[in-house]
Amino acid sequence: MAIFGASASQAQDVRRGASPRDLPRLGYERRPIRLGPTNVRIDLDLSALYDTNVYATLRNRTDDIVVYAQPKVQIDWQGANAQIHGEVYAQTRRFVDLTRENATSFGAATSTRLALSRAHNLSTELRYDRTIESRGDPEARASALQRPRKIDVLAGELNYGLRGSRIGLDLTGGVQKSNYLDPNEKDRDFAMFRGSARTIWRPAAPLALFVEAYVNRRNFRTAVDISGINRDATTYGLLAGVSREVTGRLTGRIGAGAFRFDPDDSQLDRYSGLAFSGDITWTPRPRTMMTAQFFRGDVATARIGATGRTDTRIAWTLQQEVRHNLLLIGRAGWTRTQYRGIGADRLSTASAGVEVEYLVNRRFSLFTGVDYGRRTSNDPFEEFSRARLQVGVRAGF
């Protein structure tokens, strides 16, 4: 759980557009470990969470208390023309009664940004994550009598950017490999290759217009899945939109267009649909930040009977400093998942939550949070609701 905020006592030093947590807060400033040009930050969260519906079911709900331990180490190095970031993390959860749900996730990531010249830059990212499949995932197959699925995800990305006075260009290529460790789920393993090209035109600062073309290719590990379908497919898309690229009260970008789903299997129909993507950040005051994120597009699926899947996601987040040592984050979201094919299930999930963090000093804080989610569907067996309450302590060095 992350809480964001900053101090009102140092308003003369604030930078509008920065996250409230990153702004000055007299007596509570984070002091990373400095090793020359390298900063090291070490975080540890210890918390207890009460979950009203662990298995995300409509009936016969099972509740439990979960204890979490989440360590994280971040390393940042900055030179004259380059920046490097690295991090490693882990999350261990232990249930009081439902010990079958005990699990540990972990991962590591590194990213680099290199300024080749004033107009040209290059960035890379490489990450590995061991994730645990959510019981509320509409693609999940594991029953309550089985352990939740473990997934290894390896991803890499390379980006080149050109920034001229009026014209800009972004070229991005990436690959992601997902591997389910349970052999019964091997038909869900896939590799995805993606590429995009975005052209940017700035008719008048700070606004810019852009056109982006992209392509995603998914190759699944097995020739066919458990329902006898070849899930390999290519998705093409085109977006056009507007962005505001300078720091200020309103920043971000939003684009809309269309995508085309082109499967390899002749049993599956080609499909075209509306696509949009974007994120907008509004900072009405230096200590207040609101962020909205939007997405609609084709999503990978291996669900039995489904020939395709389209997701629409909208999320809103509020970051606020209530007092110089009292921080708050509020969030709300809505996701609609539309399957095509047999049954053509439609699932809508709404969620809302709030967290509060009290800063004891620059090293320690106490936090608590509550969230509620509800999923509705044309299939009653896909519906559920759950509430979760969490309290914990956070240490940062």
Side-chain angles (χ1 to χ4, degrees), residues 364-386:
F364 296 95
S365 64
L366 305 174
F367 65 92
T368 183
V370 60
D371 64 70
Y372 175 80
R374 178 179 179 84
R375 187 167 77 191
T376 58
S377 174
N378 59 328
D379 179 357
F381 292 101
E382 295 283 356
E383 297 184 343
F384 73 89
S385 63
R386 76 196 311 177

Side-chain angles (χ1 to χ4, degrees), residues 135-385:
R135 290 295 188 179
D137 190 328
E139 300 279 334
R141 300 174 183 171
S143 73
L145 300 178
Q146 299 173 306
R147 288 187 176 275
R149 301 306 196 211
K150 299 176 182 178
I151 312 166
D152 281 344
V153 181
L154 181 64
E157 185 175 277
L158 175 66
N159 171 267
Y160 164 76
L162 168 65
R163 292 293 181 271
S165 59
R166 292 280 185 175
I167 302 297
L169 177 67
D170 275 319
L171 301 176
T172 303
V175 60
Q176 175 181 313
K177 184 176 182 180
S178 297
N179 177 38
Y180 286 76
L181 301 191
D182 191 311
N184 295 320
E185 302 272 5
K186 64 181 180 181
D187 64 310
R188 298 174 68 185
D189 298 346
F190 70 91
M192 180 175 68
F193 305 89
R194 59 185 182 276
S196 65
R198 181 189 303 168
T199 302
I200 305 163
W201 176 50
R202 302 178 185 84
L207 294 180
L209 305 177
F210 70 87
V211 175
E212 178 178 343
Y214 64 88
V215 58
N216 293 335
R217 172 66 186 178
R218 292 191 290 265
N219 292 330
F220 281 76
R221 176 181 175 186
T222 59
V224 296
D225 66 5
I226 59 175
S227 58
I229 294 176
N230 177 7
R231 293 289 178 178
D232 295 351
T234 304
T235 300
Y236 308 91
L238 184 66
L239 300 172
V242 61
S243 66
R244 183 183 175 99
E245 298 183 326
V246 299
T247 299
R249 291 193 178 189
L250 186 66
T251 62
R253 65 176 183 86
I254 185 167
F259 72 88
R260 176 70 170 175
F261 173 70
D262 188 7
D264 290 3
D265 197 322
S266 60
Q267 302 178 71
L268 304 181
D269 294 331
R270 292 177 173 84
Y271 177 79
S272 298
L274 171 68
F276 56 76
S277 177
D279 57 85
I280 298 174
T281 299
W282 181 42
T283 311
R285 293 181 296 275
R287 308 293 174 169
T288 303
M289 175 179 283
M290 288 182 243
T291 302
Q293 296 175 314
F294 314 89
F295 170 81
R296 188 179 193 274
D298 178 62
V299 176
T301 181
R303 186 178 169 110
I304 298 175
T307 60
R309 171 180 170 177
T310 302
D311 276 13
T312 304
R313 296 192 290 265
I314 301 173
W316 173 85
T317 303
L318 166 69
Q319 303 174 22
Q320 176 68 55
E321 177 188 86
V322 181
R323 292 176 59 85
H324 69 284
N325 64 340
L326 187 62
L327 317 175
L328 176 144
I329 181 170
R331 58 184 177 273
W334 178 79
T335 300
R336 180 179 177 84
T337 297
Q338 173 69 65
Y339 286 99
R340 303 184 297 277
I342 299 174
D345 290 336
R346 299 183 301 277
L347 299 85
S348 295
T349 304
S351 62
V354 63
E355 298 177 12
V356 177
E357 182 178 14
Y358 173 74
L359 305 179
V360 179
N361 53 44
R362 60 170 48 96
R363 298 296 188 192
F364 296 95
S365 64
L366 305 174
F367 65 92
T368 183
V370 60
D371 64 70
Y372 175 80
R374 178 179 179 84
R375 187 167 77 191
T376 58
S377 174
N378 59 328
D379 179 357
F381 292 101
E382 295 283 356
E383 297 184 343
F384 73 89
S385 63

Side-chain angles (χ1 to χ4, degrees), residues 71 73 87-91 105-109 127-131 153:
V73 178
E87 62 182 52
V88 294
Y89 74 90
Q91 181 193 78
S105 58
F106 50 87
R127 68 176 304 117
Y128 162 78
D129 298 282
R130 163 69 60 83
T131 65
V153 181

